[in-house]
Amino acid sequence: MAKELLMGNEAIGLGAIHAGVRLVSGYPGTPSTEILETVAQHNDGGRIHVEWSVNEKAALEVAAGGAYAGARTMVTMKQVGLNVASDPLMSLAYVGVKGGMVIVAADDPGPISSQTEQDTRCFAAFAKLPVFDPSSPEEAYEMVGEAFAYSEQYGTPVLLRPTTRVCHGCATVDLGEAAAEREPEGFVKDTGRWVIFPRLSYQNHIKIEERNVELSHLFSTCRYNTVEGKDGLKKGVAAGGISYAYVKESLPGEVKLLKIGTPHPFPETLAVEFMRGLEEVLVLEELDPVIEKELQRIAGKYHLPVTIRGKLTHDTKNAGENSVESVRGDLGRFLPEYEELAAGDADGPEEAPSLPVRPPVLCAGCPHRASFYAVKLAAKGRKAVYSGDIGCYTLGNSKPLDMVDTCLCMGADVTIAQGLHIIEPDAVNFAFIGDSTFFASGMTGVVNAVYNQTDIILVVLDNSTTAMTGHQPHPGTGKTMMGDVVSKISIEKILEAVGVGRIVNADPLHLAEAVGAVKEVMDEKGVRAVIFKSPCIAVTKPAARYEVKEEACTLCRQCIRELGCPAIVRTDGNISIEPSLCTGCGLCAQVCKFKAIQEVE
């Protein structure tokens, strides 16, 4: 059996390949992105169809169609993306599938790169779907194959919920043999199965409840749910996901430990076995008190005299991710009789000094900085509100730009701007959206604005990639994940087709042109758009470098105060440009009134 050192996302992707997946769709989102990319990298001969869909809803529906035809399919997204996919997901839970279908929703405790700390285990219970919660990259690899098997056996989608530390952690994984090739049966027409009607939903709901009871019993003997430790003690610990790995770092081996790898349906019989004879249980999990609530419910149902402690009792924190250190502290307070927990690691290294605060900023040379600055200059003196969106350009909220007043979720810039303008019509409302986000969720809002005749200015920041998550292709790039070169879908033509009255294109790195483009549409009515086109610095070659001529520099610091480019620094009282960071965008040279910033010859 081959062993490889793999990142968790790589393990999940290879797990899907080895399980015989035939279709993988998704939308990029940290911490899930590398799963689909791993499948694409190992897609020998193009046997597997791999696609970045325009959003998570489309991805899930494409995968559902493949599963209807009997193929094994996988969908990848982050936890926020599950919200976008929730409409088809809730109905698909009732309709079911024929081929195995695994939906990977990677949660982001912290949150490290997300708007929310939502817990997919709760979503699984809401949708009445089975969910697997891996505690390591190796377990994630193994769970993928079993999730496909359960999906086919019970005709249901199955959720896999890795968290950031599982997705991006690395471990040695035993890679099993790939599943034997098998041709999907194909779609078999059956309107009584595939066409959702209220009567069918009612009948299937009954079946789902019966199935989940059966799964609860079955999961009590599943190898991912275990009880460790000795009987006879009065205190026990329960954990799931990466928190289980943290617990194992510190917990004395004799203490009873309940590991939950399938939080829904909950392994009730095993939980009863674990709690019998215990007086107290501490639950360690991320993020919501899912295991804690289940143990409380089961203790009440079976009249077990046990106190369940955790987030609800404020014995553990109820927000943010756990760590080896935080879990050790929780265990030390719960089990003070174990001196080694209270003492900590006396032989461990000294605590490292705190890292300097480094707020996130737009990259040096990022065209979004130029776009924001152009709008700021054009709107100077006007009452203006700037609605932002999800992407690199959310960093436009940082000073000195300060150009993102609202940010809710993908695509909401357009619709938030509409609501603001309706209530405050004397303000000029700008809606900033990236090219990838426009295709993912912006078009609906634009149609809504045109239909309802709202006065807003749409600013499309077209940098020719999905930059925030690693430069994935999208419909405007002319490439697919299967390696095909296709026609680029034009944002301008889409805007024209839906009735946007005025559309202006500009290069944001040409400052005068960019400011003029914004002013050109400022006083018109209805929905109008400015499309700023300039590629991300990561997908294009740097232009000529710039430097500060000390003899011409007056130290006015306008370049620093207004742009905030990390390449412009002040050292020993002088202003200079860091050569290793400068991409040659030339924006600073256009801002300098004294011509002190010039291109290096």
Side-chain angles (χ1 to χ4, degrees):
M1 184 177 288
K3 290 186 177 182
E4 285 190 32
L5 180 65
L6 298 174
M7 185 168 70
N9 282 342
E10 292 176 315
I12 293 170
L14 290 177
I17 293 173
H18 293 172
V21 74
R22 292 293 299 272
L23 185 158
V24 181
S25 56
Y27 189 78
T30 305
S32 72
T33 306
E34 296 87 358
I35 300 171
L36 188 144
E37 291 180 337
T38 297
V39 177
Q41 290 164 7
H42 294 83
N43 189 15
D44 298 333
R47 182 185 68 86
I48 305 167
H49 174 81
V50 187
E51 71 168 54
W52 285 125
S53 305
V54 292
N55 61 25
E56 295 85 354
K57 179 180 185 294
L60 192 139
E61 291 164 350
V62 168
Y68 284 0
R72 285 190 165 183
T73 67
M74 176 177 275
V75 195
T76 69
M77 63 194 71
K78 66 188 295 179
Q79 88 283 8
V80 186
L82 194 57
N83 301 333
V84 181
S86 62
D87 186 13
L89 176 64
M90 297 304 292
S91 296
L92 189 62
Y94 282 78
V95 172
V97 294
K98 182 167 65 175
M101 181 177 177
V102 176
I103 301 164
V104 184
D107 283 3
D108 185 23
I112 297 169
S113 59
S114 306
Q115 309 97 288
T116 72
E117 278 198 301
Q118 67 195 65
D119 192 322
T120 294
R121 297 176 301 165
C122 295
F123 214 118
F126 178 47
K128 304 183 186 298
L129 292 174
V131 59
F132 286 75
D133 188 15
S135 61
S136 67
E138 185 169 21
E139 192 168 67
Y141 171 84
E142 294 169 354
M143 281 183 169
V144 171
E146 295 206 21
F148 274 119
Y150 276 108
S151 175
E152 289 175 343
Q153 182 179 351
Y154 290 93
T156 180
V158 173
L159 286 157
L160 180 72
R161 181 249 185 187
T163 53
T164 302
R165 301 303 173 183
V166 173
C167 289
H168 291 165
C170 292
T172 300
V173 178
D174 290 324
L175 299 177
E177 296 297 324
E181 290 272 348
R182 59 176 184 176
E183 274 303 309
E185 178 189 2
F187 181 66
V188 178
K189 292 187 178 184
D190 183 354
T191 55
R193 181 177 183 183
W194 303 122
V195 181
I196 190 166
F197 282 116
R199 179 66 180 172
L200 176 64
S201 296
Y202 169 73
Q203 293 168 343
N204 284 353
H205 187 187
I206 295 173
K207 296 176 182 177
I208 288 169
E209 298 293 352
E210 293 173 348
R211 175 201 74 201
N212 284 350
V213 171
E214 180 182 341
L215 282 173
S216 174
H217 291 304
L218 190 62
F219 284 165
S220 287
T221 59
C222 174
R223 64 189 176 116
Y224 302 120
N225 302 312
T226 58
V227 175
E228 307 168 35
K230 298 179 181 179
D231 290 326
L233 300 180
K234 298 303 180 183
K235 291 182 177 180
V237 176
I242 193 64
S243 297
Y244 167 78
Y246 298 156
V247 169
K248 291 289 286 183
E249 290 274 340
S250 303
L251 188 69
E254 64 184 39
V255 179
K256 285 186 78 172
L257 172 59
L258 172 66
K259 174 180 181 285
I260 298 296
T262 61
H264 188 268
F266 201 79
E268 185 171 303
T269 304
L270 183 67
V272 172
E273 174 192 324
F274 164 73
M275 287 190 288
R276 286 200 190 278
L278 295 178
E279 293 179 358
E280 290 183 280
V281 172
L282 178 68
V283 183
L284 293 156
E285 58 185 323
E286 297 172 340
L287 286 153
D288 293 339
V290 172
I291 299 173
E292 185 179 353
K293 286 181 177 179
E294 284 293 332
L295 292 182
Q296 285 183 340
R297 177 187 66 81
I298 293 167
K301 178 179 178 180
Y302 291 89
H303 307 290
L304 299 174
V306 56
T307 299
I308 309 300
R309 301 192 180 279
K311 297 175 184 292
L312 298 176
T313 60
H314 303 289
D315 288 283
T316 63
K317 61 181 182 179
N318 55 17
E321 63 177 346
N322 294 330
S323 66
V324 172
E325 293 76 18
S326 71
V327 165
R328 188 179 185 85
D330 294 334
L331 291 172
R333 288 185 293 274
F334 180 65
L335 299 167
E337 59 270 31
Y338 291 92
E339 294 182 1
E340 64 268 32
L341 288 175
D345 186 1
D347 298 325
E350 294 183 8
E351 185 175 343
S354 299
L355 293 173
V357 176
R358 184 186 176 192
V361 295
L362 293 169
C363 297
C366 175
H368 297 335
R369 176 180 289 105
S371 299
F372 283 126
Y373 188 62
V375 174
K376 189 174 189 176
L377 291 181
K380 190 173 183 179
R382 303 286 292 267
K383 181 180 180 180
V385 181
Y386 309 107
S387 295
D389 214 305
I390 304 299
C392 293
Y393 48 93
T394 310
L395 297 174
N397 74 320
S398 301
K399 293 184 182 302
L401 290 173
D402 192 21
M403 287 293 288
V404 176
D405 296 321
T406 74
C407 183
L408 180 63
C409 62
M410 290 191 71
D413 64 298
V414 190
T415 34
I416 289 289
Q418 292 171 54
L420 288 170
H421 185 77
I422 290 167
I423 302 303
E424 207 169 4
D426 60 322
V428 181
N429 279 278
F430 290 89
F432 292 101
I433 193 167
D435 46 341
S436 179
T437 305
F438 175 83
F439 291 113
S441 55
M443 293 186 288
T444 305
V446 176
V447 172
N448 191 72
V450 172
Y451 171 61
N452 288 289
Q453 304 178 57
T454 313
D455 290 340
I456 64 169
I457 299 175
L458 178 71
V459 181
V460 181
L461 308 175
D462 186 352
N463 66 353
S464 303
T465 188
T466 311
M468 187 178 187
T469 52
H471 310 288
Q472 292 76 26
H474 62 66
T477 63
K479 297 179 182 177
T480 73
M481 282 301 282
M482 294 297 290
D484 297 325
V485 177
V486 297
S487 297
K488 296 180 180 180
I489 297 178
S490 167
I491 294 175
E492 182 175 2
K493 288 182 179 179
I494 291 174
L495 294 176
E496 289 175 351
V498 302
V500 175
R502 188 84 165 88
I503 304 168
V504 181
N505 289 280
D507 183 341
L509 299 181
H510 297 163
L511 185 58
E513 172 193 337
V515 172
V518 179
K519 287 183 175 180
E520 197 175 324
V521 301
M522 188 92 76
D523 295 316
E524 297 187 15
K525 295 296 182 183
V527 181
R528 53 268 197 220
V530 177
I531 302 176
F532 283 130
K533 293 184 178 181
S534 185
C536 172
I537 61 166
V539 297
T540 187
K541 293 182 179 179
R545 189 168 58 81
Y546 281 75
E547 65 181 0
V548 178
K549 302 293 184 181
E550 287 189 20
E551 64 276 11
C553 180
T554 65
L555 299 179
C556 70
R557 296 190 297 167
Q558 183 180 13
C559 54
I560 292 176
R561 285 186 290 103
E562 297 201 11
L563 299 181
C565 176
I568 307 175
V569 295
R570 188 176 184 184
T571 308
D572 298 329
N574 294 320
I575 308 298
S576 62
I577 295 176
E578 172 56 46
S580 64
L581 293 178
C582 182
T583 65
C585 72
L587 181 63
C588 55
Q590 298 172 72
V591 168
C592 182
K593 294 180 292 186
F594 303 100
K595 308 299 181 185
I597 302 177
Q598 295 182 13
E599 185 177 329
V600 176
E601 295 179 2

